[in-house]
Amino acid sequence: MSPGTLSAASLSAAPATSGTIASFTLWAVTVAALLLLLVVDIVLTRRPHEVRMREAVGWSVFYMVLPVLFGFYLWAEFDGGVAVEFFTGWVVEKSLSVDNLFVFMLLLAAFAVPTELAQRVLLYGIVGALVLRAIFIALGAAALQSGTWAFLLFGAVLILTAGKVLRDARKGEAHAVDIDSMRSVRLLRRLVPVSPRYHGFRLLVRENGRTAITPLALATVAVFATDIVFAVDSVPAVYGVTDDPFLVFATNAFALLGLRALYFVLRGALARLRHLNYGLAVILAFIGVKLVLHWAHGIWTWVPEIPTPASLGVIITVLFTVTVTSLRAERVPPPAEDEA
């Protein structure tokens, strides 16, 4: 091996963690880059201000380019199969993260979060989501190492989730938020007093001689509680694309990092994607079936498996279809009511 080749492959050199393409060095560099980007986000949101469209679009483009460059790196250092797994997982996680934005939007409205404070709540939500995803990814990797039964379990979870998402979408309840029914919010209100107004970025204040939490703290807790629900769905979904813990972590990280900026780009268009949940139900069910087939193939080799490139094609087709149908539905005027 030439010195140039050794240098180019240094990040992916052995020894790699069992069951993953990544060496310790690649893990360390990826996590360090993630922490650096989070620090940059914290610095950018240190002063309350309303995010302008130009700023939001610029950062959204930046966070879209990053995973593309990372995918090309994987293609060059490993092979096309690894890159396709990454891109497929990233598309799945990005589509699910848009659903996160719907709920974040409703939570911010329900708590009447001032526009200049919204980006800090979103940042807290993203950090919480990353921590939870890391925990669930580790648990998922441990489950997969214990036996192929985990694929069957993950598949069943996704199929059941797809059924719930579809039922809610048909009832028009896909994005209903009732903060008074959230257990985490009710518990906090019982344990500590809540200030009636916002105090900038502060989560705790002193009022009437006692410590109280601010509405910003309540909103942050509510966002974190929804992160738990989304982590239960998203981690099994990406394990349906790849069983490499590093790729699972990378797809989740890249999908979540740009959510803060993407929220301000899409908040005017989010409500127009009325068919998104139908598409997500199809995607979750499809990946669930893919996982079940993968489990069955390990027992009965004649059972077919769904290749990752085919999965990517199905996912992109579904997302494109629901986007088009949503936009067409927006252009169709509601039926006129009969005059008495």
Side-chain angles (χ1 to χ4, degrees):
M1 179 183 293
S2 67
T5 304
L6 180 61
S7 175
S10 60
L11 289 181
S12 56
T17 306
S18 177
T20 179
I21 61 168
S23 64
F24 175 81
T25 303
L26 182 55
W27 268 107
V29 170
T30 303
V31 172
L34 171 62
L35 293 176
L36 176 62
L37 290 170
L38 289 176
V39 169
V40 170
D41 257 357
I42 292 172
V43 171
L44 290 174
T45 62
R46 72 188 185 280
R47 290 184 297 104
H49 70 282
E50 184 174 352
V51 178
R52 303 294 182 185
M53 181 59 70
R54 182 176 179 179
E55 176 187 349
V57 170
W59 281 106
S60 295
V61 171
F62 171 75
Y63 281 118
M64 294 290 283
V65 170
L66 276 184
V68 173
L69 295 177
F70 187 75
F72 287 153
Y73 160 75
L74 293 177
W75 198 305
E77 291 300 313
F78 300 98
D79 57 52
V82 171
V84 169
E85 286 186 6
F86 170 76
F87 282 125
T88 305
W90 177 67
V91 170
V92 170
E93 291 303 311
K94 201 65 179 179
S95 61
L96 292 174
S97 70
V98 172
D99 202 38
N100 286 42
L101 288 183
F102 274 104
V103 178
F104 289 167
M105 179 179 67
L106 293 176
L107 285 171
L108 293 175
F111 283 100
V113 178
T115 305
E116 64 271 15
L117 301 181
Q119 58 178 334
R120 180 53 65 93
V121 178
L122 292 170
L123 180 58
Y124 289 152
I126 292 168
V127 172
L130 285 169
V131 172
L132 288 169
R133 302 291 171 89
I135 295 172
F136 276 83
I137 288 167
L139 293 175
L144 291 177
Q145 288 182 356
S146 67
T148 58
W149 60 268
F151 289 111
L152 180 61
L153 175 63
F154 289 171
V157 168
L158 292 180
I159 292 172
L160 291 174
T161 302
K164 181 182 183 303
V165 171
L166 181 60
R167 287 195 302 271
D168 290 345
R170 294 183 65 182
K171 293 177 183 177
E173 300 173 355
H175 297 296
V177 170
D178 181 7
I179 58 176
D180 292 326
S181 67
M182 299 183 71
R183 295 179 181 177
S184 55
V185 172
R186 293 206 312 264
L187 179 62
L188 267 181
R189 284 173 171 168
R190 288 194 191 120
L191 293 178
V192 292
V194 180
S195 173
R197 60 189 179 87
Y198 284 88
H199 297 263
F201 286 153
R202 297 176 66 183
L203 303 178
L204 298 173
V205 293
R206 292 287 295 178
E207 290 186 343
N208 300 322
R210 60 179 183 173
T211 301
I213 62 173
T214 65
L216 189 71
L218 274 182
T220 301
V221 170
V223 167
F224 189 79
T226 61
D227 282 338
I228 298 175
V229 177
F230 284 116
V232 173
D233 297 340
S234 65
V235 172
V238 74
Y239 267 121
V241 175
T242 176
D243 57 2
D244 186 328
F246 174 76
L247 291 180
V248 173
F249 175 78
T251 55
N252 273 269
F254 279 114
L256 290 169
L257 277 175
L259 280 191
R260 180 185 63 82
L262 189 62
Y263 170 84
F264 295 99
V265 174
L266 295 181
R267 63 179 170 180
L270 286 176
R272 300 178 62 191
L273 297 177
R274 60 175 69 178
H275 296 159
L276 176 64
N277 265 47
Y278 290 99
L280 294 180
V282 172
I283 290 172
L284 290 173
F286 171 77
I287 298 176
V289 171
K290 183 177 186 295
L291 281 168
V292 173
L293 289 176
H294 181 71
W295 165 80
H297 182 78
I299 300 175
W300 305 287
T301 54
W302 53 267
V303 175
E305 290 193 277
I306 301 175
T308 300
S311 300
L312 180 59
V314 169
I315 292 164
I316 292 177
T317 301
V318 170
L319 292 175
F320 176 78
T321 301
V322 297
T323 300
V324 171
T325 58
S326 295
L327 295 178
R328 289 187 62 184
E330 281 291 310
R331 292 199 297 267
V332 177
E337 295 183 2
D338 295 334
E339 295 183 0

